[in-house]
Amino acid sequence: AYALYGAKIEAAPEKIFPLVAERVLAGKSLSAHEANARNAEIAELRRKFLTQIAPFDAMLMPTVAISPPPIAAIAADAETYRQANAGALALPSLANRLGLCAITLPAGTCAGDPPLPFGLSILAAPFGERQLLQIAAVLERILRQLGDMSRA
């Protein structure tokens, strides 16, 4: 991220949320050797993941692993923000880091006060967008029918 956005953030830091800027600018200290080692680790994880999901058309998972915290709590404390951000990005980052294709569908609401929406993510192998969209269309119809049934 630093290679792509670091210079822009350094030129106008007021244009980005400070804790996001902090995370991106931390990449400045990453050496080429460290970056290459991390990229090799990700490539190996990708290979293993694709081997595991090869027998399947797609993988389903919740879009995020946590319920959203109150904005006041994350706005008031940097560490609370970092923890919430890590929890919120843990699952979506899987597809991003492994170069998979993914789509998220609204899947309903969780019990709570107020009830909060949640999403269902569908992941597929790279370049599987056409099949992924077909699967998403079928699942969207099923989720809509289930939602209609729960209101009956």
Side-chain angles (χ1 to χ4, degrees), residues 6 23 28 50 72 79 83 105 112 128-129 136 145:
R23 193 173 72 234
K28 185 175 188 174
L50 292 174
E79 188 54 34
Q83 289 176 2
L105 300 174
E129 287 86 349
Q145 288 173 347

Side-chain angles (χ1 to χ4, degrees), residues 88-115:
L89 295 178
L91 295 177
S93 294
L94 175 66
N96 294 337
R97 290 184 180 167
L98 298 183
L100 308 173
C101 55
I103 191 168
T104 294
L105 300 174
T109 55
C110 297
D113 187 23

Side-chain angles (χ1 to χ4, degrees), residues 46-72:
R46 181 178 193 227
R47 185 194 64 74
K48 289 178 179 178
F49 184 85
L50 292 174
T51 299
Q52 292 292 316
I53 68 164
F56 307 101
D57 294 327
M59 180 179 136
L60 304 178
M61 67 181 195
T63 301
V64 294
I66 63 168
S67 295
I71 291 175

Side-chain angles (χ1 to χ4, degrees), residues 21-40:
E22 173 187 292
R23 193 173 72 234
V24 173
L25 295 175
K28 185 175 188 174
S29 64
L30 188 66
S31 72
H33 174 73
E34 290 170 316
N36 287 338
R38 289 183 185 179
N39 288 338

